[in-house]
Amino acid sequence: MSLPYILVLYYSRHGATAEMARQIARGVEQGGLEARLRTVPAVSTECEAVAPDIPAEGALYASLDDLKGCAGLALGSPTRFGNMAAPLKYFLDGTSSLWLTGELVGKPAAVFTSTASLHGGQETTLLSMLLPLLHHGMLAMGIPYSEPALLETRGGGTPYGASHHAGADGKRPLDEQEIALCRALGQRLAQTAALLEKGRG
């Protein structure tokens, strides 16, 4: 039997969301579980996908089995007009087989995002990602205000999930508070998933 893992599933165009995913994965590992980093391909303008099965760099593409087998999920996307990016939505739209069998019911889930502007729809994007997860019966988790960085941040960070202000050029690195909140979210997710797994055991 394989060990429980948290699936850190994201789409990243310029690298900021991918860096958040890596920080969340570190938090997951600090929380005592394995982190499995996965991404999704860009949506093709062609009728059939033309991208290779394995990306040239970064995380592997996610499969439904990655999602089915996870003990918990961290889902991340840059903001697109206050909503999740189309490639991530496209992947989630293809998960109805897991919904029909209830594979994700009762598993903890958290969300994260990155925006070019400080008030560029971070919270609405986070909420948009939670909607399909709630339909799957997952247990939505945020960041409590007991995390000091949530009160100290001058960049990203919300109680709905981790966030990052990447700047107009997309090159602003994660600051100290944003990193702390990513790791705190990953750790909380892993610890909760471990407790739930223990309860099922």
Side-chain angles (χ1 to χ4, degrees):
M1 184 177 169
S2 60
L3 293 172
Y5 63 88
I6 300 296
L7 178 62
V8 184
L9 174 61
Y10 67 93
Y11 175 71
S12 187
R13 184 79 183 274
H14 300 294
T17 309
E19 179 57 26
M20 292 184 77
R22 287 188 286 272
Q23 295 296 336
I24 287 168
R26 288 186 68 176
V28 166
E29 289 164 358
Q30 288 168 349
L33 289 188
E34 175 193 340
R36 183 176 292 185
L37 282 164
R38 293 291 185 268
T39 189
V40 293
V43 174
S44 174
T45 55
E46 302 291 328
C47 291
E48 297 294 326
V50 293
D53 291 337
I54 299 173
E57 58 184 359
L60 295 174
Y61 292 137
S63 69
L64 289 183
D65 283 341
D66 289 320
L67 195 52
K68 179 180 177 179
C70 74
L73 171 68
L75 188 68
S77 172
T79 290
R80 293 291 182 265
F81 301 107
N83 208 330
M84 76 177 95
L88 196 61
K89 176 75 163 54
Y90 183 81
F91 178 83
L92 292 173
D93 283 349
T95 62
S96 57
S97 62
L98 301 182
W99 175 79
L100 285 167
T101 53
E103 298 292 346
L104 302 178
V105 172
K107 294 181 179 183
V111 290
F112 59 101
T113 192
S114 177
T115 57
S117 58
L118 191 54
H119 301 287
Q122 290 187 355
E123 293 176 349
T124 56
T125 300
L126 294 171
L127 292 171
S128 79
M129 287 190 285
L130 285 174
L131 294 176
L133 307 185
L134 291 169
H135 277 261
H136 271 290
M138 300 192 85
L139 307 176
M141 301 188 64
I143 301 174
Y145 276 94
S146 55
E147 290 296 333
L150 200 55
L151 291 168
E152 296 166 1
T153 183
R154 295 292 179 266
T158 83
Y160 309 105
S163 64
H164 166 58
H165 172 220
D169 62 0
K171 294 181 179 176
R172 179 182 174 271
L174 270 71
D175 65 31
E176 184 181 344
Q177 284 82 21
E178 291 169 335
I179 289 170
L181 292 170
C182 284
R183 291 186 187 176
L185 186 62
Q187 188 170 3
R188 189 165 191 247
L189 192 53
Q191 289 170 342
T192 302
L195 286 170
L196 290 167
E197 288 284 313
K198 188 177 178 183
R200 293 186 189 103

Coordinates of all heavy atoms in Angstrom, one line a residue, residues 84-176:
M84 N -10.2 31.3 -11.8 CA -9.0 30.4 -12.1 C -8.8 30.4 -13.6 O -9.6 30.7 -14.4 CB -9.3 29.0 -11.5 CG -10.3 28.2 -12.4 SD -10.5 26.5 -11.7 CE -12.0 26.7 -10.7
A85 N -7.5 30.0 -13.9 CA -7.1 29.9 -15.3 C -7.8 28.8 -16.0 O -8.1 27.7 -15.4 CB -5.6 29.7 -15.4
A86 N -8.1 28.9 -17.3 CA -8.8 28.0 -18.1 C -8.2 26.5 -18.1 O -9.0 25.6 -18.0 CB -9.0 28.4 -19.5
P87 N -6.9 26.4 -18.1 CA -6.3 25.0 -18.1 C -6.7 24.2 -16.8 O -7.0 23.0 -16.9 CB -4.8 25.2 -18.2 CG -4.7 26.6 -18.9 CD -5.8 27.4 -18.4
L88 N -6.7 24.9 -15.7 CA -7.1 24.2 -14.5 C -8.6 23.9 -14.4 O -9.0 22.8 -14.0 CB -6.7 25.1 -13.2 CG -6.6 24.4 -11.9 CD1 -5.6 23.2 -11.9 CD2 -6.4 25.3 -10.8
K89 N -9.4 24.8 -14.9 CA -10.8 24.6 -15.0 C -11.1 23.5 -16.0 O -12.0 22.6 -15.7 CB -11.5 25.9 -15.5 CG -13.0 25.8 -15.7 CD -13.8 25.8 -14.4 CE -15.3 26.1 -14.6 NZ -16.0 25.2 -15.5
Y90 N -10.4 23.4 -17.1 CA -10.6 22.3 -18.0 C -10.3 21.0 -17.4 O -11.0 20.0 -17.6 CB -9.6 22.6 -19.2 CG -9.8 21.6 -20.3 CD1 -10.8 21.7 -21.3 CD2 -8.9 20.5 -20.5 CE1 -11.0 20.7 -22.3 CE2 -9.0 19.6 -21.5 CZ -10.0 19.7 -22.4 OH -10.2 18.8 -23.4
F91 N -9.2 20.9 -16.6 CA -8.9 19.6 -15.9 C -10.0 19.3 -14.9 O -10.4 18.1 -14.9 CB -7.5 19.8 -15.2 CG -7.1 18.5 -14.4 CD1 -6.5 17.5 -15.1 CD2 -7.4 18.4 -13.1 CE1 -6.2 16.3 -14.4 CE2 -7.1 17.3 -12.4 CZ -6.5 16.2 -13.0
L92 N -10.4 20.2 -14.1 CA -11.4 19.9 -13.1 C -12.8 19.5 -13.8 O -13.5 18.7 -13.3 CB -11.7 21.2 -12.2 CG -10.5 21.5 -11.3 CD1 -10.7 22.8 -10.6 CD2 -10.2 20.4 -10.3
D93 N -13.1 20.1 -15.0 CA -14.3 19.8 -15.7 C -14.3 18.3 -16.1 O -15.3 17.7 -16.4 CB -14.5 20.7 -16.9 CG -15.0 22.0 -16.5 OD1 -15.4 22.3 -15.3 OD2 -15.0 22.9 -17.4
G94 N -13.1 17.7 -16.2 CA -13.0 16.3 -16.6 C -12.9 15.3 -15.4 O -12.5 14.2 -15.6
T95 N -13.3 15.8 -14.2 CA -13.3 14.9 -13.1 C -14.6 14.3 -12.7 O -14.8 13.8 -11.6 CB -12.7 15.6 -11.9 OG1 -13.5 16.8 -11.5 CG2 -11.3 16.1 -12.2
S96 N -15.6 14.3 -13.6 CA -16.9 13.9 -13.2 C -17.0 12.4 -12.8 O -17.8 12.0 -12.0 CB -17.9 14.1 -14.3 OG -17.5 13.5 -15.5
S97 N -16.0 11.6 -13.4 CA -16.0 10.2 -13.0 C -15.7 10.0 -11.5 O -16.2 9.1 -10.9 CB -15.0 9.4 -13.9 OG -13.7 9.9 -13.7
L98 N -14.8 10.9 -11.0 CA -14.5 10.8 -9.6 C -15.6 11.3 -8.7 O -15.9 10.9 -7.6 CB -13.2 11.7 -9.3 CG -11.9 11.3 -10.0 CD1 -10.8 12.2 -9.6 CD2 -11.6 9.8 -9.8
W99 N -16.4 12.3 -9.3 CA -17.6 12.8 -8.6 C -18.6 11.7 -8.5 O -19.3 11.5 -7.4 CB -18.1 14.0 -9.3 CG -19.4 14.6 -8.7 CD1 -19.5 15.4 -7.6 CD2 -20.7 14.3 -9.2 NE1 -20.9 15.6 -7.4 CE2 -21.6 15.0 -8.4 CE3 -21.2 13.6 -10.3 CZ2 -23.0 15.0 -8.6 CZ3 -22.6 13.6 -10.6 CH2 -23.5 14.3 -9.7
L100 N -18.8 11.0 -9.6 CA -19.9 9.9 -9.6 C -19.6 8.8 -8.5 O -20.5 8.3 -8.0 CB -19.9 9.3 -11.0 CG -20.6 10.2 -12.0 CD1 -20.4 9.6 -13.4 CD2 -22.1 10.2 -11.8
T101 N -18.3 8.6 -8.3 CA -18.0 7.5 -7.4 C -17.6 8.0 -6.0 O -17.3 7.3 -5.1 CB -16.8 6.7 -7.9 OG1 -15.7 7.5 -8.2 CG2 -17.2 5.9 -9.1
G102 N -17.6 9.4 -5.8 CA -17.4 10.0 -4.5 C -16.0 9.8 -4.0 O -15.7 9.8 -2.8
E103 N -15.0 9.7 -4.9 CA -13.6 9.4 -4.6 C -13.0 10.5 -3.7 O -12.1 10.2 -2.9 CB -12.7 9.3 -5.8 CG -13.1 8.1 -6.7 CD -12.9 6.8 -6.1 OE1 -12.2 6.7 -5.1 OE2 -13.4 5.8 -6.7
L104 N -13.5 11.8 -3.8 CA -12.8 12.9 -3.1 C -13.6 13.3 -1.8 O -13.2 14.2 -1.1 CB -12.6 14.1 -4.0 CG -11.8 13.8 -5.2 CD1 -11.7 15.1 -6.1 CD2 -10.4 13.3 -4.9
V105 N -14.7 12.6 -1.6 CA -15.6 13.0 -0.4 C -14.8 12.9 0.9 O -14.1 11.8 1.1 CB -16.8 12.1 -0.4 CG1 -17.6 12.4 0.9 CG2 -17.7 12.5 -1.6
G106 N -14.8 13.9 1.7 CA -14.2 13.9 3.0 C -12.7 14.1 3.1 O -12.1 14.1 4.1
K107 N -12.1 14.4 1.9 CA -10.7 14.7 1.9 C -10.5 16.2 2.0 O -11.2 17.0 1.4 CB -10.0 14.2 0.6 CG -10.0 12.7 0.4 CD -9.4 12.3 -0.9 CE -9.4 10.8 -1.0 NZ -8.7 10.3 -2.2
P108 N -9.4 16.7 2.8 CA -9.2 18.1 2.9 C -8.6 18.7 1.7 O -7.9 18.1 0.9 CB -8.2 18.2 4.1 CG -7.5 16.9 4.0 CD -8.5 15.9 3.5
A109 N -9.0 20.0 1.4 CA -8.5 20.7 0.3 C -8.2 22.2 0.6 O -8.9 22.7 1.5 CB -9.5 20.6 -0.9
A110 N -7.2 22.8 -0.1 CA -6.9 24.2 0.1 C -6.5 24.7 -1.2 O -6.2 24.0 -2.2 CB -5.7 24.3 1.1
V111 N -6.6 26.1 -1.3 CA -6.3 26.7 -2.6 C -5.3 27.9 -2.5 O -5.1 28.4 -1.4 CB -7.6 27.3 -3.2 CG1 -8.5 26.1 -3.7 CG2 -8.4 28.1 -2.2
F112 N -4.7 28.2 -3.6 CA -3.7 29.3 -3.6 C -3.6 30.0 -5.0 O -4.0 29.3 -6.0 CB -2.3 28.8 -3.2 CG -1.7 27.7 -4.0 CD1 -0.7 28.0 -5.0 CD2 -2.1 26.3 -3.9 CE1 -0.2 27.0 -5.8 CE2 -1.5 25.3 -4.6 CZ -0.5 25.6 -5.6
T113 N -3.2 31.2 -5.0 CA -3.2 32.0 -6.2 C -2.1 33.1 -6.2 O -1.6 33.4 -5.2 CB -4.6 32.6 -6.5 OG1 -4.7 33.2 -7.8 CG2 -4.9 33.8 -5.5
S114 N -1.8 33.6 -7.4 CA -0.9 34.7 -7.6 C -1.5 35.7 -8.6 O -2.1 35.3 -9.6 CB 0.4 34.2 -8.2 OG 1.3 35.2 -8.4
T115 N -1.3 37.0 -8.3 CA -1.9 38.0 -9.2 C -0.8 39.1 -9.5 O 0.1 39.3 -8.7 CB -3.1 38.7 -8.5 OG1 -2.6 39.3 -7.2 CG2 -4.2 37.8 -8.3
A116 N -1.0 39.8 -10.6 CA -0.1 40.8 -11.0 C -0.3 42.1 -10.1 O 0.6 42.8 -9.8 CB -0.3 41.2 -12.5
S117 N -1.6 42.4 -9.8 CA -1.8 43.5 -9.0 C -2.3 43.1 -7.6 O -2.9 42.0 -7.4 CB -2.9 44.4 -9.6 OG -4.1 43.7 -9.8
L118 N -2.1 43.9 -6.6 CA -2.4 43.6 -5.2 C -3.9 43.2 -5.0 O -4.2 42.3 -4.2 CB -1.9 44.7 -4.3 CG -1.9 44.3 -2.8 CD1 -1.1 43.1 -2.5 CD2 -1.3 45.5 -2.0
H119 N -4.8 43.9 -5.7 CA -6.2 43.7 -5.5 C -6.8 43.2 -6.8 O -7.8 43.6 -7.3 CB -6.9 44.9 -5.0 CG -6.4 45.4 -3.7 ND1 -6.6 44.8 -2.5 CD2 -5.6 46.5 -3.4 CE1 -6.0 45.5 -1.6 NE2 -5.4 46.5 -2.1
G120 N -6.1 42.2 -7.4 CA -6.4 41.7 -8.7 C -7.3 40.5 -8.8 O -7.3 39.7 -9.7
G121 N -8.2 40.4 -7.7 CA -9.1 39.3 -7.7 C -8.6 38.0 -7.0 O -9.1 36.9 -7.2
Q122 N -7.7 38.2 -6.1 CA -7.1 37.0 -5.3 C -8.2 36.3 -4.6 O -8.3 35.0 -4.8 CB -6.1 37.5 -4.3 CG -4.8 38.0 -4.9 CD -3.7 38.3 -3.9 OE1 -4.0 38.2 -2.7 NE2 -2.5 38.6 -4.4
E123 N -9.1 37.0 -3.9 CA -10.1 36.2 -3.1 C -11.1 35.6 -3.9 O -11.6 34.5 -3.7 CB -10.7 37.2 -2.0 CG -9.6 37.6 -1.0 CD -10.1 38.6 0.0 OE1 -11.2 39.1 -0.1 OE2 -9.4 38.8 1.0
T124 N -11.6 36.3 -5.0 CA -12.6 35.6 -5.9 C -12.0 34.4 -6.6 O -12.7 33.4 -6.8 CB -13.1 36.6 -6.9 OG1 -12.1 37.2 -7.7 CG2 -13.9 37.7 -6.2
T125 N -10.7 34.5 -7.0 CA -10.1 33.3 -7.6 C -10.0 32.2 -6.7 O -10.3 31.0 -7.0 CB -8.7 33.7 -8.1 OG1 -8.8 34.8 -9.0 CG2 -8.0 32.5 -8.8
L126 N -9.6 32.4 -5.4 CA -9.6 31.4 -4.4 C -11.0 30.7 -4.2 O -11.1 29.5 -4.2 CB -9.1 31.9 -3.1 CG -7.6 32.4 -3.1 CD1 -7.3 33.1 -1.8 CD2 -6.6 31.2 -3.4
L127 N -12.0 31.6 -4.1 CA -13.3 31.1 -4.0 C -13.8 30.3 -5.2 O -14.5 29.3 -5.1 CB -14.3 32.2 -3.7 CG -14.1 32.9 -2.3 CD1 -15.0 34.1 -2.2 CD2 -14.4 31.9 -1.2
S128 N -13.4 30.7 -6.4 CA -13.8 30.0 -7.6 C -13.2 28.6 -7.7 O -13.8 27.7 -8.2 CB -13.3 30.8 -8.9 OG -12.0 30.6 -9.2
M129 N -12.0 28.5 -7.1 CA -11.4 27.1 -7.1 C -12.0 26.2 -6.0 O -12.0 25.0 -6.2 CB -9.9 27.3 -6.8 CG -9.1 27.8 -8.0 SD -7.3 27.7 -7.8 CE -7.0 29.0 -6.7
L130 N -12.6 26.8 -5.0 CA -13.2 26.0 -3.9 C -14.5 25.4 -4.4 O -14.9 24.4 -3.9 CB -13.5 26.9 -2.7 CG -12.2 27.2 -1.8 CD1 -12.6 28.1 -0.7 CD2 -11.6 25.9 -1.2
L131 N -15.2 26.1 -5.3 CA -16.6 25.7 -5.7 C -16.6 24.2 -6.2 O -17.4 23.4 -5.7 CB -17.2 26.6 -6.8 CG -17.5 28.1 -6.3 CD1 -17.9 28.9 -7.4 CD2 -18.5 28.0 -5.2
P132 N -15.7 23.8 -7.2 CA -15.8 22.5 -7.7 C -15.4 21.5 -6.6 O -15.8 20.3 -6.5 CB -14.9 22.4 -8.9 CG -14.0 23.6 -8.8 CD -14.8 24.6 -8.0
L133 N -14.5 21.9 -5.7 CA -14.0 21.0 -4.6 C -15.1 20.8 -3.6 O -15.3 19.6 -3.1 CB -12.8 21.6 -3.9 CG -11.6 22.0 -4.8 CD1 -10.4 22.5 -4.0 CD2 -11.3 20.9 -5.8
L134 N -16.0 21.8 -3.4 CA -17.1 21.6 -2.5 C -18.1 20.6 -3.2 O -18.8 19.8 -2.5 CB -17.8 22.9 -2.2 CG -17.0 23.8 -1.3 CD1 -17.6 25.2 -1.2 CD2 -16.9 23.3 0.1
H135 N -18.3 20.7 -4.5 CA -19.2 19.8 -5.2 C -18.7 18.4 -5.1 O -19.5 17.4 -5.1 CB -19.3 20.2 -6.7 CG -20.3 21.3 -6.9 ND1 -21.6 21.0 -7.3 CD2 -20.3 22.6 -6.7 CE1 -22.3 22.1 -7.4 NE2 -21.5 23.1 -7.0
H136 N -17.4 18.2 -5.0 CA -16.8 16.9 -4.8 C -16.9 16.4 -3.4 O -16.5 15.3 -3.1 CB -15.3 16.9 -5.2 CG -15.1 16.6 -6.7 ND1 -15.3 15.4 -7.3 CD2 -14.6 17.4 -7.7 CE1 -15.0 15.4 -8.5 NE2 -14.6 16.6 -8.9
G137 N -17.4 17.2 -2.5 CA -17.5 16.8 -1.1 C -16.2 16.9 -0.3 O -16.1 16.3 0.8
M138 N -15.3 17.7 -0.8 CA -14.0 17.9 -0.1 C -14.2 18.9 1.1 O -15.2 19.6 1.1 CB -12.9 18.4 -1.0 CG -12.6 17.4 -2.2 SD -11.1 17.8 -3.1 CE -9.9 17.0 -2.1
L139 N -13.3 18.8 2.1 CA -13.4 19.7 3.2 C -12.5 20.9 3.0 O -11.2 20.8 3.0 CB -12.9 18.9 4.5 CG -13.6 17.5 4.7 CD1 -13.0 16.8 5.9 CD2 -15.1 17.7 4.9
A140 N -13.1 22.0 2.8 CA -12.3 23.2 2.5 C -11.6 23.8 3.7 O -12.1 23.9 4.8 CB -13.3 24.3 2.0
M141 N -10.3 24.1 3.5 CA -9.4 24.6 4.6 C -8.8 25.9 4.2 O -8.4 26.1 3.0 CB -8.3 23.6 4.9 CG -8.8 22.2 5.3 SD -7.4 21.3 5.9 CE -6.9 22.2 7.3
G142 N -8.8 26.8 5.1 CA -8.1 28.1 4.8 C -6.9 28.3 5.8 O -6.4 27.3 6.3
I143 N -6.6 29.6 6.0 CA -5.5 29.9 6.9 C -6.1 30.7 8.1 O -6.6 31.7 7.9 CB -4.4 30.7 6.2 CG1 -3.9 30.0 5.0 CG2 -3.3 31.1 7.1 CD1 -2.9 30.8 4.1
P144 N -5.9 30.2 9.3 CA -6.4 30.9 10.4 C -5.6 32.1 10.8 O -4.4 32.1 10.5 CB -6.4 29.8 11.5 CG -5.3 28.9 11.2 CD -5.2 28.9 9.7
Y145 N -6.2 33.0 11.5 CA -5.5 34.2 11.9 C -4.5 34.0 13.1 O -3.8 34.9 13.5 CB -6.5 35.4 12.3 CG -6.9 36.1 11.0 CD1 -8.1 35.8 10.4 CD2 -6.1 37.1 10.5 CE1 -8.5 36.5 9.2 CE2 -6.5 37.8 9.4 CZ -7.7 37.5 8.8 OH -8.1 38.2 7.6
S146 N -4.5 32.7 13.5 CA -3.4 32.4 14.5 C -2.0 32.3 13.8 O -1.0 32.2 14.5 CB -3.7 31.0 15.1 OG -3.9 30.0 14.1
E147 N -2.0 32.4 12.5 CA -0.8 32.5 11.7 C -0.4 34.0 11.7 O -1.0 34.8 11.1 CB -0.9 32.0 10.3 CG -1.1 30.5 10.2 CD 0.1 29.7 10.7 OE1 1.2 30.2 10.6 OE2 -0.1 28.6 11.1
P148 N 0.7 34.4 12.4 CA 1.1 35.8 12.5 C 1.3 36.5 11.2 O 0.9 37.6 11.0 CB 2.4 35.8 13.3 CG 2.4 34.4 14.0 CD 1.6 33.5 13.2
A149 N 1.8 35.8 10.2 CA 2.0 36.4 8.9 C 0.8 36.9 8.2 O 0.8 37.8 7.4 CB 2.8 35.4 8.0
L150 N -0.4 36.3 8.6 CA -1.6 36.8 8.0 C -2.0 38.2 8.4 O -2.6 39.0 7.6 CB -2.8 35.8 8.4 CG -4.0 35.8 7.5 CD1 -3.7 35.6 6.0 CD2 -5.0 34.8 8.0
L151 N -1.5 38.6 9.6 CA -1.8 40.0 10.1 C -0.6 40.9 9.7 O -0.8 42.1 9.6 CB -1.9 40.0 11.6 CG -3.2 39.3 12.1 CD1 -3.1 39.1 13.6 CD2 -4.4 40.1 11.7
E152 N 0.5 40.3 9.4 CA 1.7 41.2 9.1 C 1.9 41.4 7.6 O 2.7 42.3 7.3 CB 3.0 40.5 9.7 CG 3.0 40.3 11.2 CD 4.1 39.3 11.6 OE1 4.8 38.8 10.8 OE2 4.1 39.1 12.9
T153 N 1.3 40.6 6.8 CA 1.6 40.7 5.3 C 1.3 42.1 4.7 O 0.4 42.7 5.0 CB 0.9 39.6 4.6 OG1 1.3 39.6 3.2 CG2 -0.6 39.8 4.7
R154 N 2.2 42.5 3.8 CA 2.1 43.7 3.0 C 1.9 43.3 1.5 O 1.9 44.1 0.6 CB 3.2 44.6 3.2 CG 3.4 45.2 4.6 CD 2.2 46.2 4.9 NE 2.3 46.7 6.2 CZ 1.7 46.2 7.3 NH1 1.0 45.1 7.2 NH2 1.8 46.8 8.5
G155 N 1.9 42.0 1.3 CA 1.8 41.4 0.0 C 0.5 40.6 -0.1 O -0.6 41.0 0.2
G156 N 0.7 39.3 -0.5 CA -0.5 38.4 -0.5 C -0.7 37.7 0.9 O 0.0 38.0 1.8
G157 N -1.8 36.9 0.9 CA -2.2 36.2 2.1 C -3.6 36.5 2.5 O -3.9 37.7 2.7
T158 N -4.4 35.5 2.5 CA -5.8 35.7 2.8 C -6.3 34.5 3.7 O -5.6 33.4 3.7 CB -6.8 35.7 1.6 OG1 -7.0 34.4 1.2 CG2 -6.1 36.5 0.4
P159 N -7.4 34.6 4.5 CA -7.9 33.5 5.2 C -8.5 32.4 4.3 O -8.7 31.3 4.7 CB -9.0 34.1 6.1 CG -9.3 35.4 5.5 CD -8.1 35.9 4.7
Y160 N -8.7 32.7 3.0 CA -9.3 31.8 2.1 C -8.3 30.8 1.5 O -8.6 29.8 0.9 CB -10.1 32.5 1.0 CG -11.0 33.5 1.5 CD1 -10.7 34.9 1.4 CD2 -12.2 33.1 2.1 CE1 -11.6 35.8 1.9 CE2 -13.1 34.1 2.6 CZ -12.8 35.4 2.5 OH -13.6 36.4 3.0
G161 N -7.0 31.2 1.6 CA -5.9 30.4 1.1 C -4.7 31.3 0.9 O -4.8 32.5 1.0
A162 N -3.6 30.7 0.5 CA -2.3 31.5 0.3 C -2.4 32.3 -1.0 O -3.0 31.8 -2.0 CB -1.2 30.5 0.2
S163 N -1.8 33.4 -1.0 CA -1.8 34.2 -2.2 C -0.5 35.0 -2.3 O 0.2 35.1 -1.3 CB -3.0 35.2 -2.3 OG -3.0 36.1 -1.3
H164 N -0.2 35.5 -3.5 CA 1.0 36.2 -3.8 C 0.8 37.4 -4.7 O 0.0 37.3 -5.7 CB 2.0 35.2 -4.4 CG 3.2 35.8 -5.1 ND1 4.1 36.6 -4.4 CD2 3.7 35.8 -6.3 CE1 5.1 37.0 -5.2 NE2 4.9 36.5 -6.4
H165 N 1.5 38.5 -4.5 CA 1.4 39.6 -5.4 C 2.7 39.6 -6.2 O 3.8 39.9 -5.7 CB 1.3 40.9 -4.5 CG 1.5 42.2 -5.4 ND1 2.2 43.2 -4.9 CD2 1.1 42.5 -6.6 CE1 2.2 44.2 -5.8 NE2 1.5 43.7 -6.9
A166 N 2.6 39.2 -7.5 CA 3.7 39.0 -8.4 C 4.2 40.3 -9.0 O 5.3 40.3 -9.6 CB 3.4 38.0 -9.4
G167 N 3.4 41.4 -9.0 CA 3.8 42.6 -9.6 C 3.5 42.6 -11.1 O 3.2 41.6 -11.7
A168 N 3.4 43.8 -11.7 CA 3.0 44.0 -13.0 C 3.8 43.2 -14.0 O 3.3 42.7 -15.1 CB 3.0 45.5 -13.4
D169 N 5.1 43.0 -13.8 CA 5.9 42.2 -14.7 C 6.0 40.8 -14.3 O 6.7 40.0 -15.0 CB 7.3 42.8 -14.7 CG 8.1 42.8 -13.4 OD1 7.5 42.3 -12.4 OD2 9.2 43.3 -13.3
G170 N 5.3 40.4 -13.2 CA 5.3 39.0 -12.8 C 6.5 38.5 -12.1 O 6.7 37.3 -11.9
K171 N 7.5 39.4 -11.8 CA 8.8 39.0 -11.4 C 9.0 39.2 -9.9 O 10.1 38.9 -9.4 CB 9.9 39.7 -12.2 CG 9.9 39.3 -13.6 CD 10.9 40.0 -14.4 CE 10.9 39.5 -15.9 NZ 11.9 40.2 -16.7
R172 N 8.1 39.8 -9.1 CA 8.3 40.1 -7.7 C 8.3 38.7 -7.0 O 7.4 37.9 -7.1 CB 7.1 40.9 -7.1 CG 7.2 41.2 -5.7 CD 6.0 42.0 -5.1 NE 6.1 42.1 -3.7 CZ 5.6 41.2 -2.8 NH1 5.0 40.1 -3.3 NH2 5.7 41.4 -1.5
P173 N 9.4 38.4 -6.3 CA 9.5 37.1 -5.6 C 8.6 37.0 -4.4 O 8.1 38.1 -3.9 CB 11.0 37.1 -5.2 CG 11.4 38.5 -5.1 CD 10.6 39.2 -6.1
L174 N 8.3 35.8 -4.0 CA 7.5 35.7 -2.8 C 8.3 36.3 -1.6 O 9.5 36.1 -1.5 CB 7.3 34.2 -2.5 CG 6.1 33.5 -3.1 CD1 6.3 33.3 -4.6 CD2 5.9 32.1 -2.4
D175 N 7.6 37.1 -0.8 CA 8.2 37.7 0.4 C 8.1 36.8 1.6 O 7.5 35.7 1.5 CB 7.6 39.1 0.6 CG 6.2 39.1 1.1 OD1 5.7 38.1 1.7 OD2 5.5 40.1 0.8
E176 N 8.7 37.2 2.7 CA 8.8 36.4 3.9 C 7.4 35.9 4.4 O 7.2 34.7 4.7 CB 9.5 37.2 5.0 CG 9.8 36.4 6.2 CD 10.5 37.3 7.3 OE1 11.0 38.3 6.9 OE2 10.5 36.8 8.5

